[in-house]
Amino acid sequence: MPEARCSNEEFMRLFSSIGATALSEKLGITERNVYKRRRRLENNLDSLLSAPSTASIQYPGRVPLQIANGQVLVGSDFHIWPGEQSTCLRAFKKFVDDIKPTAIILNGDVMDFPRISRHPQNWEKAPDVVEELESAQDHLNDIVIRSRRGTQKIWTLGNHDARFEALIANSTPQMRGVKGVHLSDHFGAWQKAMSCMINDGVEGGATMVKHRWKGGMNATRANTLNAGISMVTGHLHCQNVRPLSDYRSYDRYGVDTGCVADKNHRAFSYTEDSPLDWRSGFAVLTYRDGRLLFPELVTKWSDNEVQFRGEIIRV
């Protein structure tokens, strides 16, 4: 990017005030180039250049979303590490391109943070926190660029995501309010909350999306049974859809989206090479007249392919 178009001082001021997306539009360049220049300046100045926060420090419990007709792409458990992206992360980006969803929901554990984990890790091979943040910024920026204008971008936080702020809050509480200690300082394009309620109050359409609730092999049934509406979760990495019927007019669904990460990734070394009843993939939710159609799953088929609607799709 020609430096004359925007001085370093002006770039830093604009980045901190309007963020990467608006700055890329203002300068007529890609967000990727905005992030590259940001990193170069951070390295030269040896300090953090923070994006504006679009969410409060205390994340709202719930984001409401109303969709009469459209699709929602829901992926959970990305567990992003630096290096080659997983098969289903490539597929997730392709589906953003292909179906142009009304909303994209990152349903928790986008980050992994093994260095601040309670699980035993080979710490010499685990990435540093800053490496994870930069890698996640690149991948989420790709998703933002591929999405159509006006697409709702929501991040429902998971237990791994919470490690970042929990470590800082517990070890250095005096840093409260300082830019850079909150995930929103690093991912300003995504609205963060604990859950997303789609079509609240719509019979046959109300859907709660959150990272986790019930556990065990019958979790998806237990979730929708106890919630009284359709419920979409991650966390367990299993991937399945459980319809539930009763005296009400419409079915409701319990959905486990699976994990966008490859299940044999070294981030999961804490499983000690046990057989894992997990599946890599994500979910597509389709709404017609506010009502949820039978949820569809995208599932890893091979290292370069996923299956969806009876088709094998190369990614």
Side-chain angles (χ1 to χ4, degrees):
M1 180 178 66
E3 300 295 328
R5 294 183 61 182
C6 182
S7 68
N8 288 340
E9 291 75 15
E10 180 68 3
F11 179 91
M12 291 187 290
R13 185 188 69 78
L14 289 171
F15 187 92
S16 297
S17 61
I18 66 176
T21 301
L23 182 54
S24 69
E25 294 176 355
K26 183 177 181 66
L27 298 181
I29 61 175
T30 66
E31 288 189 43
R32 184 182 295 276
N33 283 333
V34 170
Y35 280 114
K36 284 182 179 178
R37 186 172 179 184
R38 171 206 182 186
R39 287 200 197 93
R40 186 169 71 250
L41 287 171
E42 287 179 335
N43 289 335
N44 292 339
L45 299 172
D46 195 25
S47 64
L48 178 68
L49 180 57
S50 298
S53 175
T54 59
S56 61
I57 294 171
Q58 295 296 325
Y59 297 120
R62 179 184 301 176
V63 171
L65 195 60
Q66 293 297 127
I67 300 177
N69 296 286
Q71 292 180 299
V72 181
L73 204 58
V74 186
S76 181
D77 299 272
F78 292 71
H79 294 276
I80 292 174
W81 278 31
E84 185 178 354
Q85 57 189 315
S86 71
T87 302
C88 286
L89 180 52
R90 296 198 305 272
F92 195 85
K93 293 177 182 180
K94 176 175 173 56
F95 271 67
V96 172
D97 267 334
D98 292 349
I99 71 174
K100 298 300 181 186
T102 303
I104 302 169
I105 301 178
L106 313 177
N107 196 22
D109 287 0
V110 174
M111 314 292 291
D112 189 61
F113 296 129
R115 287 190 180 271
I116 47 180
S117 168
R118 63 182 176 84
H119 295 294
Q121 295 282 340
N122 184 341
W123 62 269
E124 291 182 344
K125 296 181 179 179
D128 290 328
V129 170
V130 67
E131 294 175 317
E132 282 190 87
L133 286 171
E134 290 184 344
S135 181
Q137 285 173 332
D138 277 341
H139 290 305
L140 297 196
N141 180 50
D142 280 346
I143 294 172
V144 170
I145 291 172
R146 293 165 186 260
S147 63
R148 65 182 182 182
R149 184 180 295 274
T151 298
Q152 296 282 333
K153 294 176 285 292
I154 299 166
W155 181 343
T156 47
L157 297 169
N159 51 297
H160 280 253
D161 303 322
R163 290 174 176 175
F164 179 74
E165 293 184 24
L167 175 68
I168 297 172
N170 292 332
S171 60
T172 55
Q174 61 270 30
M175 296 292 288
R176 179 182 178 182
V178 175
K179 275 201 169 185
V181 303
H182 308 288
L183 280 179
S184 288
D185 298 332
H186 305 275
F187 302 94
W190 297 85
Q191 185 176 4
K192 298 170 191 67
M194 299 312 300
S195 66
C196 176
M197 175 66 81
I198 304 172
N199 293 348
D200 190 14
V202 178
E203 187 175 13
T207 310
M208 169 57 76
V209 182
K210 68 191 305 291
H211 181 63
R212 60 178 178 172
W213 191 21
K214 304 292 185 180
M217 63 182 297
N218 295 312
T220 48
R221 183 182 187 278
N223 283 340
T224 189
L225 176 66
N226 287 276
I229 58 174
S230 294
M231 190 165 190
V232 182
T233 56
H235 188 63
L236 299 179
H237 302 185
C238 293
Q239 198 184 57
N240 59 80
V241 177
R242 179 64 163 86
L244 184 68
S245 302
D246 53 27
Y247 284 116
R248 279 169 280 198
S249 301
Y250 300 113
D251 289 344
R252 59 187 191 271
Y253 308 96
V255 182
D256 179 340
T257 62
C259 56
V260 173
D262 287 328
K263 73 174 189 177
N264 59 351
H265 191 273
R266 62 187 183 277
F268 305 128
S269 61
Y270 61 85
T271 61
E272 299 177 352
D273 197 28
S274 301
L276 302 175
D277 187 19
W278 295 359
R279 268 149 295 280
S280 296
F282 49 91
V284 179
L285 309 180
T286 303
Y287 294 86
R288 291 292 179 266
D289 298 322
R291 181 180 171 186
L292 176 63
L293 276 62
F294 200 103
E296 299 174 288
L297 301 176
V298 180
T299 308
K300 180 179 176 180
W301 180 257
S302 71
D303 286 343
N304 297 302
E305 297 168 312
V306 294
Q307 55 178 310
F308 180 64
R309 294 180 181 172
E311 302 282 344
I312 303 300
I313 302 170
R314 189 168 183 83
V315 297

